[in-house]
Amino acid sequence: AHEGRVPLVGGVAWLAGAYTFVATFVILAALSGTLDLHACWPAFAFLLLVGMFFILGCVDDVVHLSPRLRLAMSVAFVGGLLLAAGQHFTLHGVRDPFLGVEVSFGILSGAATILAVVVLVNALNMADGRNGIVAGLTIIWLIALASKTSDIYLTAALMAGIANSLVLGWHNLRGRLFFGDSGTYAIAACFGVAAIFLHSGQASGGSLTSLQVCALFQILILDMLRLIVIRVRAGRSPMAADRNHLH
């Protein structure tokens, strides 16, 4: 657990590493003349979304926003992403060749996308109560995503994320830093939207089935739903703190 004064810089360091890699790639592409700003717009919109969730988490770390305000802002952020680049990041339905399932969400696709990302953000934030949990999950997710794509640029970004998360995870386990709300919000938003992108089949060199997406996030989501039911039945707020987490 976190004892004493532990700096909430894990999220800052993780996001700084991710943005530094992207900035380096953009500069190199611009210098080589291969940069297409129009084609890069979805990636920029994605990074902006992650940054907005990071800022929301920073504010929450300082002033402790109400759950309703956090929820409203989270919905607004994901809704903004869908308006800006929804064709790339919309959860259009559930499809899994192994299970033989294919269901379209139709006009509810936007609502399903917002729900999926917001639920994951809250689930990871609720799970962040022991050193190593967020960093460990991040590393597992990065490895899983890297195994599902052969795109050299996406693979390079994921490998850089693994290296960054390993360093931060080591310091987190030793109690030298804490991810805080800023880290959990940004990381969850990043992976939630990235999983939807890979699930859509638009990423070159690979994709995620619905069953694989569920496998990545199901423990977090199920534990959050279990806690919500227990707290509501006890007459408490679903967002109340307790020591009944799976960890």
Side-chain angles (χ1 to χ4, degrees):
H2 309 287
E3 300 177 358
R5 296 180 62 85
V6 181
L8 305 179
V9 297
V12 177
W14 192 86
L15 198 66
Y19 277 14
T20 298
F21 178 85
V22 172
T24 301
F25 168 73
V26 170
I27 292 172
L28 291 175
L31 292 175
S32 64
T34 60
L35 180 64
D36 183 350
L37 289 177
H38 179 72
C40 289
W41 167 243
F44 291 143
F46 167 70
L47 292 174
L48 179 61
L49 172 81
V50 176
M52 293 301 293
F53 269 102
F54 169 76
I55 293 172
L56 175 63
C58 286
V59 175
D60 195 29
D61 279 328
V62 175
V63 300
H64 302 294
L65 301 172
S66 70
R68 289 184 179 180
L69 180 57
R70 293 201 312 266
L71 176 62
M73 296 185 72
S74 297
V75 169
F77 293 162
V78 183
L81 175 71
L82 296 181
L83 290 175
Q87 69 273 23
H88 298 279
F89 302 113
T90 301
L91 184 61
H92 292 290
V94 176
R95 58 169 185 80
D96 196 282
F98 179 77
L99 297 177
V101 174
E102 186 166 354
V103 178
S104 174
F105 293 144
I107 60 174
L108 298 178
S109 296
T113 304
I114 293 173
L115 178 64
V117 177
V118 171
V119 165
L120 183 61
V121 168
N122 284 276
L124 184 61
N125 187 52
M126 289 175 67
D128 182 27
R130 301 290 296 183
N131 289 333
I133 289 181
V134 173
L137 286 171
T138 300
I139 293 167
I140 292 171
W141 292 342
L142 286 165
I143 294 173
L145 296 185
S147 71
K148 298 303 297 181
T149 179
S150 60
D151 182 270
I152 184 172
Y153 298 114
L154 181 56
T155 301
L158 294 170
M159 296 305 293
I162 292 172
N164 187 26
S165 299
L166 282 170
V167 173
L168 295 178
W170 169 251
H171 289 291
N172 179 234
L173 284 171
R174 301 180 71 183
R176 293 182 175 179
L177 60 80
F178 181 37
F179 282 89
D181 292 342
S182 61
T184 58
Y185 290 3
I187 291 171
C190 177
F191 282 101
V193 175
I196 290 173
F197 176 68
L198 287 170
H199 181 268
S200 70
Q202 297 185 73
S204 60
S207 63
L208 287 173
T209 67
S210 299
L211 185 60
Q212 289 167 338
V213 173
C214 290
L216 283 177
F217 305 129
Q218 65 174 332
I219 294 178
L220 279 179
I221 304 301
L222 291 176
D223 189 43
M224 182 191 70
L225 294 176
R226 179 185 66 85
L227 288 170
I228 289 175
V229 171
I230 290 174
R231 291 168 182 173
V232 170
R233 289 180 62 182
R236 302 170 61 222
S237 167
M239 303 305 295
D242 59 33
R243 300 182 64 83
N244 196 29
H245 294 268
L246 182 62
H247 61 253

